[in-house]
Amino acid sequence: VRPAEANDTTATWSLVSGEDCVNMEELDDGRVSITGLAEGEAVIRLTSNQDPEVFAEYTLTVVGEDWTPGAFLEVDGRVCLDVTSVMEQSEYANYTDQGEFVWSEQDVNDQPAMVLSSNNNMQWKETELENVPSLSFQVYFQDSGTYYLYTFTSHPDDSSDSFFVGLDGEFLFDTNNNTGHSGKLKWQRNNSIWRMEVEEAGVHTITFWAREDGVVAHKFYLSQNGTEDMPTGTGPEVSNRVKLAAAQIDGNMMELIPLLPAEPVPEDP
């Protein structure tokens, strides 16, 4: 595709077949990003811009399992977590209780929420996180970098309004550094403290340990855009979820790629 004698050594990617099982996006640096949609086979082509008759084709096979929800997918530096997904108790979203301190899914102020029971002014320390009720989520980060946290909550009072936050099991910060946390359907941020460094793209686990009992959470939102991306209302839509699927190019294994659920086909009216 790039012969030494060519005047133009650039080339263009195209998807020849398999639109139902992969989505392909050509990046600015000449690479291509491929996202799996379903099990199946696709053919991708790299064509010389100087001579369309000169090209190379690759067969991509996506091998996955029957669809079940997986990790939340970060797109364009943003990911919004469905807090109630922890009720699955799966490897992708789960919770832990501790004794009388029990999580439950409830409708609070007409919004789905996770509520930690026993509002008895209990407060935990960051040195005892292994014994603290928690909510954990797997996120597939396509982009590394700095992410800022925004919380959407309905905490009942100032003694039940904060979390410890960690990445891949390591404590990063707590959210007890803002005033006026409690109240109905409130978005909160603290861009100087509520931030995390995702050093490598891929799957990472974000954990929210309750700093106090009685907390009420609706959504957690991560964005690379800092103060420019403060949510309003009920905030952004919950992010898509993906599983990582094995993929082969011309029979050779390649890195795992995200496997999205196929869009449902609308029924005829």
Side-chain angles (χ1 to χ4, degrees):
V1 178
R2 292 188 176 185
E5 65 272 14
N7 295 322
D8 182 356
T9 59
T10 62
T12 301
W13 290 98
S14 61
L15 183 60
V16 178
S17 64
E19 294 87 350
D20 56 341
C21 67
V22 301
N23 179 66
M24 189 182 77
E25 177 184 1
E26 190 167 6
L27 306 178
D28 292 338
D29 58 3
R31 296 180 301 150
V32 65
S33 172
I34 298 175
T35 301
L37 302 175
E39 288 185 282
E41 191 171 272
V43 175
I44 57 177
R45 176 182 293 181
L46 186 62
T47 303
S48 167
N49 289 332
Q50 177 173 305
D51 184 354
E53 298 300 318
V54 178
F55 60 86
E57 286 189 351
Y58 304 90
T59 299
L60 174 67
T61 304
V62 179
V63 182
E65 301 174 0
D66 291 339
W67 170 254
T68 56
F72 289 89
L73 179 65
E74 171 268 315
V75 177
D76 295 331
R78 299 178 178 89
V79 60
C80 186
L81 307 179
D82 173 14
V83 174
T84 61
S85 65
V86 298
M87 296 301 293
E88 300 166 7
Q89 288 292 59
S90 69
E91 63 179 299
Y92 307 103
N94 55 77
Y95 67 90
T96 62
D97 298 326
Q98 291 293 335
E100 65 181 298
F101 304 103
V102 177
W103 293 103
S104 62
E105 180 180 1
Q106 299 182 27
D107 188 75
V108 180
N109 300 317
D110 296 323
Q111 291 294 313
M114 290 302 296
V115 179
L116 185 60
S117 65
S118 192
N119 188 6
N120 295 320
N121 296 322
M122 177 65 181
Q123 187 175 113
W124 288 275
K125 300 177 181 179
E126 65 184 74
T127 56
E128 55 184 9
L129 295 181
E130 67 275 8
N131 297 316
V132 178
S134 65
L135 307 170
S136 292
F137 310 87
Q138 278 195 4
V139 177
Y140 184 85
F141 287 96
Q142 300 186 97
D143 302 293
S144 59
T146 302
Y147 286 82
Y148 300 90
L149 172 68
Y150 305 81
T151 63
F152 186 42
T153 59
S154 291
H155 298 314
D157 54 60
D158 291 341
S159 297
S160 304
D161 65 355
S162 60
F163 290 92
F164 299 111
V165 182
L167 180 67
D168 294 331
E170 297 293 327
F171 168 76
L172 296 178
F173 56 83
D174 67 61
T175 63
N176 188 43
N177 28 57
N178 275 17
T179 59
H181 280 216
S182 60
K184 298 179 179 179
L185 304 176
K186 296 190 70 172
W187 280 104
Q188 294 281 331
R189 73 174 183 209
N190 186 324
N191 289 152
S192 63
I193 299 176
W194 299 9
R195 53 196 292 174
M196 60 183 66
E197 296 294 333
V198 177
E199 296 183 356
E200 295 184 357
V203 176
H204 296 273
T205 299
I206 300 174
T207 302
F208 298 83
W209 296 274
R211 184 177 175 273
E212 300 154 313
D213 64 348
V215 291
V216 179
H218 301 289
K219 288 179 178 178
F220 297 126
Y221 178 54
L222 293 168
S223 171
Q224 290 190 319
N225 295 315
T227 58
E228 299 177 4
D229 210 13
M230 181 68 175
T232 59
T234 58
E237 293 294 320
V238 170
S239 295
N240 283 330
R241 297 178 65 181
V242 298
K243 295 185 75 174
L244 293 183
Q248 299 176 347
I249 289 184
D250 291 346
N252 297 314
M253 292 303 297
M254 60 176 290
E255 293 183 2
L256 296 178
I257 64 173
L259 176 65
L260 286 167
E263 293 291 333
V265 178
E267 297 181 359
D268 294 331

